[in-house]
Amino acid sequence: MGDMEDALARAAANTATRPIPKSAGAQMRFLLRVEKGSTRALAARLGISQRTVERYVKGTLRQPRKDLAARLEREVRRDWQPRVRQRARKQAATSTGIVIETRARFGYTAAPGSTDDGRMRRITQHLPPAYAARLFDAQAAGATEQQLQAIAAEGLQEIYFKDRGRRAADLEVEFTDIDYVELDF
């Protein structure tokens, strides 16, 4: 996954109202419920044997290897509280919008006489619900990282650089060399 996709996933995970299960056994039991009781499907999902899943569920195994512990946590976070996550996304797409904080290189195409040299900037900006909805729809449709970045760049261009159409009417912004990007909704 790319920077924007990861940021969207982290923002969705931050909407959880309860902490994820802590122990490996509790995480396995949760994932087993998600897989509708199929130890075979869970084993395939985690890349381990079916018998290993059964041992964690039963409680004979307690401490997973580091790589398995990381996979377990990642998979639990992916499926934890889906309705809460969906409600937060819907609210962001319809009423509250999304906040983007980034440090990236912004280049410009503007009127003659102005500079078009890109430079690193740290920007924290609230984007309206329309841009949040476009980001979520594009992610659900399987958009590429560049397409997600283009939507974010367009939002920053209109809201931050053009000040909602009050200045720099012919300015075009490029969003490249992302150092980090964080989203919140």
Side-chain angles (χ1 to χ4, degrees):
M1 289 200 293
D3 292 329
M4 290 297 293
E5 186 107 12
D6 287 341
L8 283 167
R10 282 191 308 272
N14 288 340
T15 62
T17 56
R18 294 182 326 205
I20 66 169
K22 298 287 184 217
S23 71
Q27 290 175 345
M28 283 285 186
R29 286 188 291 278
F30 169 74
L31 288 174
L32 195 59
R33 279 194 307 272
V34 169
E35 293 293 338
K36 298 178 175 74
S38 173
T39 56
R40 179 174 294 170
L42 181 54
R45 182 175 177 179
L46 294 173
I48 57 178
S49 71
Q50 186 175 354
R51 182 70 182 127
T52 303
V53 171
E54 293 166 355
R55 287 180 180 146
Y56 277 108
V57 170
K58 189 176 177 183
T60 56
L61 287 178
R62 295 172 193 256
Q63 292 294 331
R65 300 179 319 268
K66 281 187 177 183
D67 61 329
L68 177 58
R71 284 194 310 261
L72 257 174
E73 184 175 344
R74 184 184 67 235
E75 293 298 322
V76 168
R77 284 193 191 282
R78 181 179 297 162
D79 290 336
W80 189 246
Q81 294 187 320
R83 289 183 294 204
V84 171
R85 186 177 302 161
Q86 185 178 15
R87 190 175 356 161
R89 288 170 72 106
K90 182 179 179 186
Q91 183 178 5
T94 57
S95 62
T96 60
I98 194 167
V99 175
I100 182 170
E101 178 182 337
T102 186
R103 183 168 186 271
R105 183 170 306 281
F106 289 91
Y108 311 97
T109 305
S114 63
T115 181
D116 62 352
D117 292 337
R119 62 179 175 178
M120 294 298 278
R121 289 180 182 244
R122 183 173 176 269
I123 296 175
T124 302
Q125 181 65 47
H126 175 267
L127 298 180
Y131 291 103
R134 286 183 53 200
L135 274 172
F136 298 146
D137 292 342
Q139 183 187 27
T144 65
E145 180 68 17
Q146 288 75 26
Q147 291 169 327
L148 293 173
Q149 286 178 11
I151 294 169
E154 183 181 335
L156 289 172
Q157 169 183 303
E158 294 301 318
I159 304 302
Y160 182 80
F161 291 103
K162 289 186 176 182
D163 195 19
R164 297 181 188 259
R166 288 187 277 248
R167 60 186 170 94
D170 56 349
L171 182 73
E172 295 289 325
V173 175
E174 295 176 7
F175 185 41
T176 58
D177 296 339
I178 297 174
D179 188 20
Y180 76 93
V181 62
E182 289 294 324
L183 300 172
D184 189 29
F185 54 89

Short mmCIF file of all heavy atoms in Angstrom, two decimals, residues 9-55:
data_model
loop_
_atom_site.label_atom_id
_atom_site.label_comp_id
_atom_site.label_asym_id
_atom_site.label_seq_id
_atom_site.Cartn_x
_atom_site.Cartn_y
_atom_site.Cartn_z
N ALA A 9 -6.24 4.02 6.03
CA ALA A 9 -6.44 2.86 6.91
C ALA A 9 -6.18 3.23 8.37
O ALA A 9 -6.94 2.82 9.26
CB ALA A 9 -5.52 1.72 6.48
N ARG A 10 -5.13 4.02 8.63
CA ARG A 10 -4.85 4.45 10.01
C ARG A 10 -5.95 5.35 10.55
O ARG A 10 -6.36 5.22 11.70
CB ARG A 10 -3.51 5.18 10.08
CG ARG A 10 -2.30 4.28 10.07
CD ARG A 10 -1.03 5.05 10.42
NE ARG A 10 -0.81 6.24 9.64
CZ ARG A 10 -0.18 6.28 8.46
NH1 ARG A 10 0.30 5.18 7.94
NH2 ARG A 10 -0.02 7.42 7.83
N ALA A 11 -6.46 6.24 9.71
CA ALA A 11 -7.53 7.13 10.15
C ALA A 11 -8.79 6.34 10.47
O ALA A 11 -9.47 6.62 11.45
CB ALA A 11 -7.82 8.17 9.07
N ALA A 12 -9.09 5.33 9.66
CA ALA A 12 -10.26 4.49 9.93
C ALA A 12 -10.06 3.70 11.21
O ALA A 12 -11.00 3.54 12.00
CB ALA A 12 -10.51 3.55 8.76
N ALA A 13 -8.85 3.21 11.45
CA ALA A 13 -8.58 2.45 12.68
C ALA A 13 -8.67 3.34 13.91
O ALA A 13 -9.04 2.87 14.99
CB ALA A 13 -7.20 1.80 12.60
N ASN A 14 -8.37 4.62 13.77
CA ASN A 14 -8.43 5.54 14.91
C ASN A 14 -9.86 5.89 15.31
O ASN A 14 -10.06 6.56 16.31
CB ASN A 14 -7.65 6.82 14.60
CG ASN A 14 -6.16 6.59 14.61
OD1 ASN A 14 -5.68 5.62 15.18
ND2 ASN A 14 -5.42 7.47 13.96
N THR A 15 -10.84 5.48 14.53
CA THR A 15 -12.23 5.75 14.88
C THR A 15 -12.78 4.73 15.85
O THR A 15 -13.91 4.88 16.31
CB THR A 15 -13.12 5.79 13.62
OG1 THR A 15 -13.08 4.51 12.99
CG2 THR A 15 -12.68 6.88 12.66
N ALA A 16 -12.01 3.68 16.15
CA ALA A 16 -12.50 2.62 17.04
C ALA A 16 -12.83 3.18 18.41
O ALA A 16 -12.16 4.07 18.93
CB ALA A 16 -11.45 1.52 17.16
N THR A 17 -13.89 2.63 19.00
CA THR A 17 -14.33 3.09 20.31
C THR A 17 -13.83 2.20 21.44
O THR A 17 -13.91 2.57 22.60
CB THR A 17 -15.86 3.15 20.38
OG1 THR A 17 -16.39 1.86 20.07
CG2 THR A 17 -16.40 4.18 19.40
N ARG A 18 -13.34 1.01 21.10
CA ARG A 18 -12.79 0.09 22.09
C ARG A 18 -11.43 -0.39 21.59
O ARG A 18 -11.20 -0.50 20.39
CB ARG A 18 -13.69 -1.14 22.25
CG ARG A 18 -15.04 -0.83 22.84
CD ARG A 18 -15.83 -2.11 22.99
NE ARG A 18 -15.51 -3.04 21.91
CZ ARG A 18 -16.31 -3.99 21.48
NH1 ARG A 18 -17.46 -4.17 22.02
NH2 ARG A 18 -15.96 -4.79 20.49
N PRO A 19 -10.52 -0.74 22.52
CA PRO A 19 -9.21 -1.26 22.09
C PRO A 19 -9.35 -2.67 21.52
O PRO A 19 -10.27 -3.41 21.88
CB PRO A 19 -8.39 -1.26 23.37
CG PRO A 19 -9.39 -1.29 24.48
CD PRO A 19 -10.61 -0.59 23.97
N ILE A 20 -8.42 -3.04 20.65
CA ILE A 20 -8.44 -4.38 20.07
C ILE A 20 -8.04 -5.39 21.15
O ILE A 20 -7.41 -5.02 22.14
CB ILE A 20 -7.50 -4.49 18.85
CG1 ILE A 20 -6.04 -4.33 19.26
CG2 ILE A 20 -7.90 -3.53 17.77
CD1 ILE A 20 -5.07 -4.69 18.17
N PRO A 21 -8.39 -6.66 20.97
CA PRO A 21 -7.97 -7.68 21.95
C PRO A 21 -6.45 -7.72 22.07
O PRO A 21 -5.74 -7.58 21.07
CB PRO A 21 -8.51 -8.98 21.34
CG PRO A 21 -9.59 -8.57 20.41
CD PRO A 21 -9.22 -7.22 19.92
N LYS A 22 -5.96 -7.95 23.29
CA LYS A 22 -4.52 -7.89 23.53
C LYS A 22 -3.82 -9.23 23.32
O LYS A 22 -2.78 -9.29 22.69
CB LYS A 22 -4.24 -7.41 24.96
CG LYS A 22 -4.75 -6.03 25.25
CD LYS A 22 -3.91 -4.99 24.58
CE LYS A 22 -4.39 -3.61 24.97
NZ LYS A 22 -4.31 -2.67 23.92
N SER A 23 -4.37 -10.30 23.88
CA SER A 23 -3.67 -11.59 23.82
C SER A 23 -3.84 -12.25 22.47
O SER A 23 -4.80 -12.00 21.74
CB SER A 23 -4.18 -12.52 24.92
OG SER A 23 -5.49 -12.96 24.62
N ALA A 24 -2.89 -13.13 22.15
CA ALA A 24 -2.94 -13.84 20.87
C ALA A 24 -4.17 -14.73 20.80
O ALA A 24 -4.82 -14.84 19.76
CB ALA A 24 -1.68 -14.67 20.68
N GLY A 25 -4.54 -15.35 21.91
CA GLY A 25 -5.72 -16.21 21.93
C GLY A 25 -6.99 -15.43 21.67
O GLY A 25 -7.86 -15.86 20.90
N ALA A 26 -7.12 -14.26 22.31
CA ALA A 26 -8.30 -13.42 22.10
C ALA A 26 -8.35 -12.91 20.66
O ALA A 26 -9.42 -12.86 20.04
CB ALA A 26 -8.29 -12.25 23.08
N GLN A 27 -7.20 -12.56 20.10
CA GLN A 27 -7.16 -12.12 18.71
C GLN A 27 -7.56 -13.25 17.77
O GLN A 27 -8.32 -13.04 16.82
CB GLN A 27 -5.77 -11.59 18.37
CG GLN A 27 -5.45 -10.29 19.04
CD GLN A 27 -4.01 -9.82 18.80
OE1 GLN A 27 -3.16 -10.58 18.35
NE2 GLN A 27 -3.76 -8.56 19.09
N MET A 28 -7.06 -14.46 18.05
CA MET A 28 -7.43 -15.63 17.22
C MET A 28 -8.93 -15.91 17.31
O MET A 28 -9.56 -16.18 16.30
CB MET A 28 -6.67 -16.88 17.66
CG MET A 28 -5.25 -16.92 17.22
SD MET A 28 -5.13 -17.30 15.48
CE MET A 28 -3.36 -17.45 15.35
N ARG A 29 -9.48 -15.83 18.52
CA ARG A 29 -10.92 -16.08 18.67
C ARG A 29 -11.74 -15.03 17.92
O ARG A 29 -12.75 -15.36 17.29
CB ARG A 29 -11.29 -16.13 20.14
CG ARG A 29 -10.83 -17.42 20.82
CD ARG A 29 -11.37 -17.55 22.24
NE ARG A 29 -10.79 -16.58 23.16
CZ ARG A 29 -9.62 -16.73 23.76
NH1 ARG A 29 -8.88 -17.81 23.55
NH2 ARG A 29 -9.18 -15.79 24.58
N PHE A 30 -11.30 -13.78 17.98
CA PHE A 30 -12.00 -12.74 17.23
C PHE A 30 -11.96 -13.02 15.73
O PHE A 30 -12.98 -12.96 15.05
CB PHE A 30 -11.39 -11.36 17.53
CG PHE A 30 -11.90 -10.29 16.61
CD1 PHE A 30 -13.18 -9.79 16.74
CD2 PHE A 30 -11.11 -9.80 15.58
CE1 PHE A 30 -13.67 -8.82 15.88
CE2 PHE A 30 -11.57 -8.83 14.72
CZ PHE A 30 -12.86 -8.34 14.87
N LEU A 31 -10.78 -13.32 15.23
CA LEU A 31 -10.65 -13.59 13.79
C LEU A 31 -11.40 -14.85 13.39
O LEU A 31 -11.93 -14.94 12.28
CB LEU A 31 -9.18 -13.70 13.40
CG LEU A 31 -8.41 -12.39 13.40
CD1 LEU A 31 -6.93 -12.63 13.15
CD2 LEU A 31 -8.97 -11.41 12.39
N LEU A 32 -11.50 -15.81 14.30
CA LEU A 32 -12.26 -17.02 14.03
C LEU A 32 -13.75 -16.69 13.88
O LEU A 32 -14.43 -17.25 13.02
CB LEU A 32 -12.03 -18.05 15.14
CG LEU A 32 -12.46 -19.47 14.86
CD1 LEU A 32 -11.74 -20.03 13.64
CD2 LEU A 32 -12.20 -20.35 16.07
N ARG A 33 -14.25 -15.77 14.70
CA ARG A 33 -15.65 -15.33 14.55
C ARG A 33 -15.85 -14.63 13.21
O ARG A 33 -16.87 -14.80 12.56
CB ARG A 33 -16.04 -14.40 15.69
CG ARG A 33 -16.42 -15.10 16.95
CD ARG A 33 -17.13 -14.18 17.93
NE ARG A 33 -16.41 -12.96 18.23
CZ ARG A 33 -15.50 -12.81 19.18
NH1 ARG A 33 -15.18 -13.82 19.95
NH2 ARG A 33 -14.93 -11.64 19.37
N VAL A 34 -14.86 -13.81 12.82
CA VAL A 34 -14.95 -13.11 11.53
C VAL A 34 -14.99 -14.12 10.39
O VAL A 34 -15.74 -13.95 9.42
CB VAL A 34 -13.76 -12.14 11.35
CG1 VAL A 34 -13.67 -11.63 9.94
CG2 VAL A 34 -13.87 -10.99 12.34
N GLU A 35 -14.21 -15.19 10.51
CA GLU A 35 -14.17 -16.24 9.47
C GLU A 35 -15.28 -17.28 9.64
O GLU A 35 -15.22 -18.35 9.03
CB GLU A 35 -12.80 -16.93 9.47
CG GLU A 35 -11.65 -16.06 9.04
CD GLU A 35 -11.72 -15.65 7.59
OE1 GLU A 35 -12.38 -16.34 6.80
OE2 GLU A 35 -11.12 -14.62 7.24
N LYS A 36 -16.25 -16.96 10.48
CA LYS A 36 -17.42 -17.82 10.71
C LYS A 36 -17.05 -19.22 11.20
O LYS A 36 -17.64 -20.22 10.78
CB LYS A 36 -18.28 -17.90 9.45
CG LYS A 36 -18.83 -16.55 9.03
CD LYS A 36 -19.64 -16.65 7.77
CE LYS A 36 -20.28 -15.35 7.41
NZ LYS A 36 -19.43 -14.35 6.90
N GLY A 37 -16.05 -19.30 12.07
CA GLY A 37 -15.67 -20.56 12.69
C GLY A 37 -14.77 -21.46 11.87
O GLY A 37 -14.45 -22.56 12.28
N SER A 38 -14.31 -21.00 10.72
CA SER A 38 -13.47 -21.82 9.85
C SER A 38 -12.00 -21.65 10.21
O SER A 38 -11.37 -20.64 9.87
CB SER A 38 -13.69 -21.44 8.39
OG SER A 38 -12.77 -22.11 7.57
N THR A 39 -11.45 -22.66 10.90
CA THR A 39 -10.03 -22.60 11.24
C THR A 39 -9.17 -22.70 9.99
O THR A 39 -8.07 -22.13 9.93
CB THR A 39 -9.64 -23.71 12.23
OG1 THR A 39 -10.01 -24.97 11.68
CG2 THR A 39 -10.33 -23.50 13.57
N ARG A 40 -9.65 -23.39 8.99
CA ARG A 40 -8.90 -23.52 7.73
C ARG A 40 -8.77 -22.16 7.04
O ARG A 40 -7.68 -21.78 6.59
CB ARG A 40 -9.59 -24.51 6.80
CG ARG A 40 -8.86 -24.67 5.47
CD ARG A 40 -9.48 -25.74 4.63
NE ARG A 40 -9.25 -27.01 5.33
CZ ARG A 40 -9.82 -28.16 5.00
NH1 ARG A 40 -10.65 -28.20 3.99
NH2 ARG A 40 -9.56 -29.26 5.67
N ALA A 41 -9.86 -21.41 6.97
CA ALA A 41 -9.82 -20.10 6.33
C ALA A 41 -8.92 -19.14 7.12
O ALA A 41 -8.16 -18.36 6.52
CB ALA A 41 -11.22 -19.53 6.21
N LEU A 42 -8.99 -19.20 8.45
CA LEU A 42 -8.16 -18.34 9.27
C LEU A 42 -6.68 -18.70 9.12
O LEU A 42 -5.83 -17.82 9.02
CB LEU A 42 -8.57 -18.42 10.74
CG LEU A 42 -7.78 -17.55 11.71
CD1 LEU A 42 -7.77 -16.09 11.27
CD2 LEU A 42 -8.34 -17.69 13.11
N ALA A 43 -6.39 -19.99 9.06
CA ALA A 43 -5.00 -20.43 8.86
C ALA A 43 -4.46 -19.93 7.53
O ALA A 43 -3.32 -19.46 7.44
CB ALA A 43 -4.92 -21.95 8.95
N ALA A 44 -5.28 -20.01 6.49
CA ALA A 44 -4.85 -19.53 5.18
C ALA A 44 -4.63 -18.01 5.20
O ALA A 44 -3.70 -17.49 4.59
CB ALA A 44 -5.88 -19.90 4.12
N ARG A 45 -5.51 -17.31 5.90
CA ARG A 45 -5.40 -15.85 5.99
C ARG A 45 -4.12 -15.42 6.70
O ARG A 45 -3.50 -14.43 6.32
CB ARG A 45 -6.63 -15.33 6.73
CG ARG A 45 -6.71 -13.85 6.88
CD ARG A 45 -8.02 -13.47 7.53
NE ARG A 45 -8.11 -12.05 7.76
CZ ARG A 45 -9.15 -11.44 8.28
NH1 ARG A 45 -10.21 -12.15 8.62
NH2 ARG A 45 -9.15 -10.14 8.46
N LEU A 46 -3.73 -16.17 7.74
CA LEU A 46 -2.55 -15.82 8.52
C LEU A 46 -1.27 -16.48 8.03
O LEU A 46 -0.18 -16.14 8.48
CB LEU A 46 -2.77 -16.18 10.00
CG LEU A 46 -3.85 -15.39 10.72
CD1 LEU A 46 -4.08 -15.96 12.10
CD2 LEU A 46 -3.48 -13.92 10.79
N GLY A 47 -1.39 -17.46 7.14
CA GLY A 47 -0.22 -18.14 6.62
C GLY A 47 0.39 -19.12 7.61
O GLY A 47 1.61 -19.28 7.65
N ILE A 48 -0.45 -19.76 8.42
CA ILE A 48 0.01 -20.75 9.39
C ILE A 48 -0.84 -22.01 9.22
O ILE A 48 -1.77 -22.03 8.42
CB ILE A 48 -0.10 -20.22 10.85
CG1 ILE A 48 -1.53 -19.80 11.18
CG2 ILE A 48 0.87 -19.08 11.07
CD1 ILE A 48 -1.74 -19.33 12.60
N SER A 49 -0.52 -23.04 9.99
CA SER A 49 -1.27 -24.29 9.86
C SER A 49 -2.59 -24.20 10.64
O SER A 49 -2.73 -23.42 11.58
CB SER A 49 -0.45 -25.46 10.38
OG SER A 49 -0.35 -25.40 11.78
N GLN A 50 -3.51 -25.02 10.22
CA GLN A 50 -4.81 -25.08 10.87
C GLN A 50 -4.66 -25.53 12.33
O GLN A 50 -5.33 -25.02 13.22
CB GLN A 50 -5.72 -26.05 10.10
CG GLN A 50 -7.14 -26.09 10.59
CD GLN A 50 -8.00 -26.98 9.70
OE1 GLN A 50 -7.56 -27.47 8.67
NE2 GLN A 50 -9.23 -27.18 10.11
N ARG A 51 -3.75 -26.45 12.56
CA ARG A 51 -3.51 -26.95 13.91
C ARG A 51 -2.97 -25.86 14.82
O ARG A 51 -3.32 -25.78 16.01
CB ARG A 51 -2.53 -28.13 13.86
CG ARG A 51 -2.26 -28.76 15.20
CD ARG A 51 -3.49 -29.50 15.71
NE ARG A 51 -3.20 -30.05 17.02
CZ ARG A 51 -3.96 -29.83 18.08
NH1 ARG A 51 -5.06 -29.13 17.99
NH2 ARG A 51 -3.62 -30.34 19.24
N THR A 52 -2.15 -24.97 14.29
CA THR A 52 -1.63 -23.85 15.08
C THR A 52 -2.76 -22.93 15.51
O THR A 52 -2.80 -22.47 16.66
CB THR A 52 -0.56 -23.07 14.28
OG1 THR A 52 0.47 -23.97 13.89
CG2 THR A 52 0.04 -21.95 15.10
N VAL A 53 -3.70 -22.67 14.61
CA VAL A 53 -4.87 -21.85 14.95
C VAL A 53 -5.63 -22.52 16.09
O VAL A 53 -6.01 -21.87 17.07
CB VAL A 53 -5.79 -21.64 13.73
CG1 VAL A 53 -7.10 -20.99 14.13
CG2 VAL A 53 -5.10 -20.81 12.67
N GLU A 54 -5.86 -23.81 15.98
CA GLU A 54 -6.59 -24.54 17.01
C GLU A 54 -5.87 -24.46 18.35
O GLU A 54 -6.51 -24.33 19.41
CB GLU A 54 -6.78 -25.99 16.59
CG GLU A 54 -7.69 -26.15 15.40
CD GLU A 54 -7.64 -27.53 14.75
OE1 GLU A 54 -6.81 -28.36 15.19
OE2 GLU A 54 -8.42 -27.76 13.83
N ARG A 55 -4.56 -24.52 18.35
CA ARG A 55 -3.79 -24.46 19.60
C ARG A 55 -3.91 -23.09 20.26
O ARG A 55 -3.98 -22.99 21.49
CB ARG A 55 -2.33 -24.79 19.33
CG ARG A 55 -2.11 -26.26 19.07
CD ARG A 55 -0.65 -26.54 18.81
NE ARG A 55 -0.45 -27.96 18.56
CZ ARG A 55 0.45 -28.43 17.73
NH1 ARG A 55 1.25 -27.60 17.08
NH2 ARG A 55 0.59 -29.72 17.54
#
